[in-house]
Every structure is written in structure tokens, then in C-alpha cells.
Amino acid sequence: MADSWDGCSEIGSQSDESFHFERVHLEPIYDAFVCPLTKQVMSDPVTLENGQTFEREAIEKWFRECKESGRKMVCPLTLKELKSTDMNPSIALRNTIEEWTARNEAVQLDLARRSLNLGSSETEIMHALKYVEHICQKSRSNKHIARSAGLIPLIVDMLKSGSRRVRCKALETLRIVVEEDAENKEMLAEGDIVRTIVKFLSHELSKEREEAVSLLYELSKSETLCEKIGSVNGAILILVGMTSSKSENLLTVEKAEKTLENLEKCENNVRQMAENGRLQPLLTQILEGPPETKLSMASYLGELVLNNDIKVIVANTVGSSLINIMRSGTMESRESALKALNQISSYEASAKVLIEAGILPPLVKDLFTVGSNQLPMRLKEVSATILANVVNSGYDFDSILVGSDDQTLVSEDIVHNLLHLISNTGPAIECKLLQVLVGLTTSKTTVLNVVAAIKSSGATISLVQFIEAPQKDLRVASIKLLQNLSPLMGQELADALRGSVGQLSSLIKVISENIGITEEQAAAVGLLADLPERDLGLTRQMLDESAFQMIISRVIRIRQGETRGTRFVTPFLEGLVRVLARITFVLADEPDCVALCREHNLAQLFTDMLQANGLDNVQMVSATALENLSLESKNLTRLPELPPTGLCGSIFPCFSKPPTISGLCKLHRGTCTQRESFCLLEGQAVEKLVALLDHTNERVVEAALAALSTLLDDGVDIEQGVTVLCEAEGIKPILDVLLEKRTDNLRRRAVWVVERILRTDDIAYEVSGDPNVSTALVDAFQHGDYRTRQIAERALKHVDKIPNFSGIFPNMG
């Protein structure tokens, strides 16, 4: 018999990792308690026919091996053959062993309890924790004993140990203590124990994280603890992060995943998971949960901030279900569905998914329905927002039916209804419905239908009046819509703005606001830029409003770098230049415009902007403005006053010499300056325009060529104009434009310029030897329009490709 016990009831199992409490004098172990085969204290002793007692499991294994090997059934102690392998339970011995074990375990438990103290050595604490693990694994009933002995709070205290080994072992021991024991789990729900365990999830040491996750997984099997774990700030966020981590080991990731699956039993946890990027549980509840849960989850989905990729996943997963709820649910459920759809429709790709799922018909119905089943105004606002979202997704809406009689969103009746709602609702809905029209007028395939409906409803004035709305969002939507309409309704909008109501002043005020550059300002200046540039009444009203002076100031500040860094700078600058250029279209009719151009030296400003590289529209508009200014130069040049001829000269003019006056413009034969007469030559703009002939954008090339063609116009000295082009090395680039044949307009313009150039004999002689130019002129002569063919014929005569007497076309000046 052994006279002391070494920390467990297993003989011969000691090792460095076994329990090794200080030796305590306990009741001795009797030989009768020990199985001869296992050398361990028996838990289920059985007696054979010869009176020998063994552990049931051990003797059964012995008999099985004898049978499998073909040996006789013998007693393992006596090695004598047995007549029978019957085993009789030794109930009295088993009871005695159990009583002995209980007495010894009570002593060891007391020793463990005293060792589980932060003042004990690491070795003592580790032995105590291992012993607790051992007895709990040995029997489920021992878990009750451990709880009754008050060991669980002591083990929890070990989580505060300064030893990492102790902390890890304490987490492991707690997991074993609570496995399949609801009451022990409930004890860990008290106080801040769960919070303490969760803190280990953020530890850098992976072993502590692994043990903490394993323990939380076990605790999460209890619904009470599911709520408790979810209530710890950051717990679900960390667990979600662990499931997607590539640095964790697979077992830890798997345990974190299973823990989250258990936590899904609580709705609050599902909401937290969704908030932290794990949306599938919430989506599953919307699809499969009871009505109340569907309602609350859909409502919560509407409150979440989702990234764009997630919106697409959500739309694909629950879009159809939400649309069905919106179509036929109760008012409360429709509200939840609308709020969720509002959230996921705000991204172009997810909006397209919803369109394909059939969201448009019920949306339009909700907006237009009146009566007992109509949505309250606050929900109509949500419907309008969703419609604005999906319409601005770039879908082809003229093919999607939204009502009876094959109506689409751009059918006249539907647009009329939208316009009626815009005029009869509050600012919030008006703003969203205007955004719907903005989306429909952005597409070239639908804008014509919307324009036709606006004209037929007489809604132009109503739409223009929103420019004066005090709500910024409403103003922005209105201005963007009018900007989209202006290419097709320019004159109607100009007529409306020219009224005395003040919308033009409001537009100018928006543009002039010195608050950086906003989307509203870019849209406002874009709208003004699209209005007919030759509308003299509008230009005069802008002069009266001092709009052009403000625009000049803003252009200069942008070019000087005082305004930068917003995404609307480029469209704003392009719009400003286009609006400013309109002043050059009415120079002949409005002396005040001439005076303004002179006062601010606009010829120089437009010349400088020819070099705005990367801003094609600015270069193109600047070249067009210079063309207009240059066309007026011949009328603004101060012609010299010739001195009177003497008596002799008047009688005998052949004897008098014409007076010579120096300093005159060779092009306009008068006194020219860039500021006063807008002369391209004096303003050194010719070289800059020639440089643009090599631009990749043919519209810029065409505008530059048009400006250069003013040097060869009928009202100037054409021969001197050719000389100016030669000096600016512009002849070859002009011929290259002719040869490239990029567009019909460019070819038409190039043929006109080349014909004028070829009137100079030296150039005509040189060009006549270039077969490419001749071929290009012949092509224009054969395939151009009537006017181009006439001019090409004259050009071919200059290079002797057509005899002068051929006269295919009648002569024209």
C-alpha cells in the first residue's frame, strides 16, 4: 500500500508535468483498489470466476486480444484457463473506492484552493490548475464539487497573474470547468469576468488569444452568455476581425467563426456583426426570420453605413425580398423596407441590381398614389430619394415599364406627374424629384422625352424659379437640371431668365460667392455658358448686373493659383471662360461690350489662355473669342489722316507722291493695338494659334484655324496676312490640317484658308510640286459640299491643276 498520494489517483502516472503538491499524509491506497493490469485505482471493478478482480475495461481488452490471437481464455494473473469469461461487478469494492477517492480528493481540492492565490509560486499555481483540470475531466460530477468548493472565482483571479503561463493555464482550466455545465457557465456571467476574458483577444501573444477564443466559444453555447459577450465593447468586432485574419492559426479562426455563429442567437449581436462588416446573419434574418425580426433587421439595415461592394452583395441577397415587402407589407414594414432600399440604392451597381429586381413600378406607384393607402409624406420623401438614386445609375430607362399602357419613366404622363409633384410638395421631396429629372436628362436617350414633356406642360418658368430657393440642395438640383436642359431649351431658358423676377441675379450671385468652388457654382456657370451666346438681351442684362467684371476677376484668380484643390475647378473655369466669351459675339451691336473688352484687355486674357494645356475647352473657347475679336479689328483700327495735297499735286496728280506713314499695322493698314482694336498680330497671338493646329482635339484645331482665317478675310490685306502666317511658320501646319482630313468642318475650313494662301504666287508655285496637297484639293473638289467644291476649284487653278478658263462653277467673291 502506498502511504501517501501524489496529487491524483493514478498509480505510475507521475512525470514532470504531473501534479506535485507537498506530500500530505492521506488514507493509504490498498492493493485491492489497484487493477493488476493498469496499475491504477479502479473505477469499475469486476470479479472473474477464479476470484481475481480487474478494471472492467482492462479485462475486456485482455479477453478481446486472446480471442483475436487465437489463444485460450486465461486469467492474466494466474495464466490458468477460465471456463467462463463472465464478469461480476464488485459493487462493494467500487463503493469503497469511491468513498476513499472522495475523501482524498476533498483534501487535494482544499490544497488546490489554498494554492490558487496570487501570492503562491508559479509552480504551485500551475499544479493546482492542472489538478482542477484533471478532476473535472475525470467526472462531470466533479465540476459541481469544484463549483461548491469556490474554485471558479479563484481560477478567474489567476487571469490577473503576471505569469503568461499561469494566465494561459487559467483560461484553459476555466474552459474545462464550464464544458457541458450550465451552472458553471452562469457563474462566469457574473461581474466583469467575460470582459476580462475578451481582453485576452487583443493580446499579441497568440497562445492567450487561442485559449480565450476557445473559452468564449464554450461560453457562447449559453444564450445568457451570448448576450453578455455581445455586450462587451469590441468583443464582436475583434472576433469578426479574427475570422478574416490571415495571421491567425486555422484552429483559432475556426473557433472564432463558431463563436460568432453561436452569438447570432441574439438580435443585438446580429446588429453588431452587421455594423462590423459581417452582414450575412442579418441578411439571413431578413430572408428567413419571423415577421418581427424581419422588420427590425430591415429597419436596422437602413441605418447602417455600407461600403459600395457590400451594397451590391446586399442588393443581390435581399433586394427582391425588400421590394416585395415594400409592395405588399404593412405600413410599418414598408417603412423599414424603404429605409433599407434607400441605403443600398445609393451606389450605381447596387441600384442596377434593384432595377432588375423590379423596384421601379412599386416606387412610382408609391409616389403617385393618393387616398387611404398612400404613403405619408415622410415616406414619399424616402421613395423619391430611392428613385433619384436608381435613376442616376445610368440605366436605360426608356425600356423599363413602370405603369399601365406601356408607360416608362420618360413617358409624357409620368413626367407630367413628376412635375406636378414637384410643384405641390415640400422642399425635401422637391429636391429628390428634381434629382430624378437630373438623372433622366443626363442620358441622351431620355433627355428628349423629358424636354418634350416639360414644354408641353409649360413647366419651364416653375423650374427656373427654384434657382431662388433658400435650400441649397434644392437650388443645386434645380440648376443641374436646367444645365442639362439648356442645350435643347437654351432660348426658352434665356427668355425665362431675362424676366424681371430675379433668377439671373440669383445665378450670378451663386457664381460670385467666394467660398472656394462648389458643385452649385460649377453647375450655375455651366448653365449660363450653355445659353445662346448671341442673345443680346441676356448679354445686356449681364452687363447691367456687372457679371462680366466678376467673371474676369474669378478667371484671373484661378489662373494665378489663388483658387485650387477642388474637383470642380476645371468645369467652373471652363464655364467662366464660355460665359466671358459670349461678350465677343455681340461686339458689333453693343458698344459697351467693346468698351469692356478694352478696359480689361480681354484680347490678352484670351491669348494667354490659349496655352492652358490640358484644358481643351478653355483653349477652344479662347480661340473662338479671339476669332470674334479679330473680325472686329478692321472696324476698330484707326486709319491715318492723310495730309492734304498741294495745288500742284491737285492739278498734276502724276507729279505728286503718296505720303508715307510709318508705324501702321500692315494687316489692317491703320493704327492697331491688342487692347484697343484686338489685333492678333499686335497681340502676338498668331504663333500661339499656329501651335494649336497640332492639337489632338479637332475642335481646338478648328477653333484655332477659324481665328487664323481672320488674317485672310476680305476686309484685310490678304497678301500681308499670308506674310504674317509665313513669318509665324503657319503655312505647313495649315496644309497638314488639309491633308489629315480629320472632320468635314476642318476640311471645309482648311480648303478656304489654303485657297487664300495660294493666291500668293510664290507659295502656289511651291505647293504645286506637292502631290499630296493637290490630291487633298482634288478630293475636296470631288466630295465636298457645294461651297467647298467651289473654293477647291479656285485653289486648284492657283496650282495649275485646272485651267483658268474651265469655269466649272460660276465665279463668287
Side-chain angles (χ1 to χ4, degrees), residues 176 231 296 450 493 537 582 619 643 647-648 712-713 785 800 805:
I176 292 169
S231 69
S296 66
V450 178
L493 295 178
R582 72 177 293 119
Q619 292 176 306
L647 178 61
C648 182
L712 307 175
D713 209 12
D785 58 28
D800 295 330
F805 56 79

Side-chain angles (χ1 to χ4, degrees), residues 559 608-619 691-692 695:
R559 286 185 52 75
D608 291 341
M609 288 192 293
L610 293 176
Q611 295 177 302
N613 295 328
L615 300 175
D616 293 7
N617 289 335
V618 171
Q619 292 176 306
L692 291 181
H695 203 285

Side-chain angles (χ1 to χ4, degrees), residues 719 757-768 798-799:
E719 187 175 344
I757 291 172
L758 293 179
R759 293 180 187 183
T760 301
D761 293 339
D762 291 345
I763 296 178
Y765 176 77
E766 187 174 343
V767 169
S768 64
H798 296 323
V799 292

Side-chain angles (χ1 to χ4, degrees), residues 79-367:
L79 299 180
K80 292 181 178 180
E81 186 175 354
L82 298 170
K83 296 179 181 178
S84 169
T85 57
D86 291 343
M87 296 171 283
N88 297 312
S90 300
I91 297 174
L93 178 60
R94 184 176 65 189
N95 291 340
T96 303
I97 292 173
E98 287 176 355
E99 291 171 1
W100 176 89
T101 301
R103 289 193 299 274
N104 282 279
E105 285 180 349
V107 175
Q108 289 291 357
L109 275 174
D110 182 62
L111 177 59
R113 189 178 60 78
R114 285 186 278 116
S115 297
L116 290 175
N117 186 298
L118 291 175
S120 301
S121 69
E122 179 183 293
T123 302
E124 289 176 320
I125 296 172
M126 291 293 290
H127 286 166
L129 291 171
K130 290 175 183 177
Y131 174 69
V132 175
E133 283 185 12
H134 165 74
I135 63 167
C136 289
Q137 287 172 324
K138 178 181 176 184
S139 168
R140 287 183 59 182
S141 62
N142 285 342
K143 295 183 180 183
H144 169 72
I145 295 172
R147 180 173 67 252
S148 301
L151 290 176
I152 293 178
L154 298 177
I155 299 170
V156 170
D157 284 342
M158 296 304 102
L159 297 177
K160 302 173 186 175
S161 170
S163 165
R164 181 174 67 87
R165 291 180 67 236
V166 168
R167 294 195 302 270
C168 286
K169 195 65 180 175
L171 289 167
E172 179 187 310
T173 304
L174 285 172
R175 173 177 57 80
I176 292 169
V177 168
V178 301
E179 277 178 352
E180 300 181 2
D181 193 302
E183 292 184 53
N184 285 359
K185 286 186 174 74
E186 293 297 325
M187 286 194 70
L188 293 191
E190 298 171 1
D192 283 341
I193 298 174
V194 173
R195 184 183 303 276
T196 302
I197 296 168
V198 168
K199 286 181 180 178
F200 284 98
L201 296 179
S202 58
H203 279 213
E204 292 182 4
L205 296 166
S206 60
K207 182 63 177 173
E208 285 176 291
R209 280 204 308 275
E210 291 170 20
E211 293 295 348
V213 171
S214 296
L215 174 54
L216 285 172
Y217 167 59
E218 192 60 41
L219 295 177
S220 67
K221 295 175 182 179
S222 161
E223 191 163 337
T224 303
L225 276 156
C226 280
E227 294 182 11
K228 187 78 176 181
I229 295 169
S231 69
V232 177
N233 186 34
I236 288 177
L237 172 61
I238 297 172
L239 286 167
V240 169
M242 293 176 78
T243 59
S244 58
S245 173
K246 295 181 179 179
S247 59
E248 301 284 352
N249 67 50
L250 292 178
L251 183 60
T252 302
V253 171
E254 182 182 350
K255 283 290 174 64
E257 181 68 39
K258 289 182 176 179
T259 304
L260 287 169
E261 289 174 6
N262 288 339
L263 295 180
E264 291 172 14
K265 291 183 286 229
C266 302
E267 284 190 18
N268 285 335
N269 293 345
V270 172
R271 291 189 180 93
Q272 280 196 65
M273 291 178 199
E275 187 178 342
N276 292 299
R278 186 182 174 92
L279 270 169
Q280 193 55 51
L282 183 141
L283 302 182
T284 301
Q285 293 282 20
I286 292 175
L287 291 172
E288 303 172 3
E292 299 80 7
T293 304
K294 282 186 177 183
L295 181 65
S296 66
M297 292 301 166
S299 181
Y300 188 71
L301 179 60
E303 298 171 11
L304 289 174
V305 178
L306 307 175
N307 66 45
N308 290 336
D309 291 340
I310 296 297
K311 288 175 185 175
V312 177
I313 294 171
V314 173
N316 279 310
T317 306
V318 298
S320 296
S321 296
L322 292 171
I323 292 169
N324 288 334
I325 295 172
M326 182 187 77
R327 192 181 273 126
S328 57
T330 63
M331 191 61 70
E332 187 180 8
S333 61
R334 288 166 72 188
E335 179 174 0
S336 298
L338 282 170
K339 289 180 177 178
L341 289 167
N342 182 29
Q343 171 66 254
I344 60 179
S345 66
S346 58
Y347 177 51
E348 181 178 308
S350 54
K352 289 180 177 178
V353 172
L354 295 177
I355 293 169
E356 291 167 2
I359 194 173
L360 283 176
L363 263 185
V364 172
K365 182 181 177 183
D366 280 349
L367 280 171

Side-chain angles (χ1 to χ4, degrees), residues 13-20 123 126-127 130 165:
S13 62
Q14 290 183 339
S15 69
D16 291 340
E17 291 298 319
S18 67
F19 313 117
H20 189 66
T123 302
M126 291 293 290
H127 286 166
K130 290 175 183 177
R165 291 180 67 236

Side-chain angles (χ1 to χ4, degrees), residues 32-52:
F33 293 177
V34 178
C35 173
L37 290 175
T38 64
K39 308 302 182 190
Q40 297 175 1
V41 175
M42 294 181 284
S43 60
D44 186 12
V46 292
T47 303
L48 303 181
E49 65 179 23
N50 63 358
Q52 298 294 332

Side-chain angles (χ1 to χ4, degrees), residues 494-506:
D495 293 342
L497 287 169
R498 271 194 278 107
S500 58
V501 182
Q503 285 89 8
L504 180 60
S505 299
S506 298

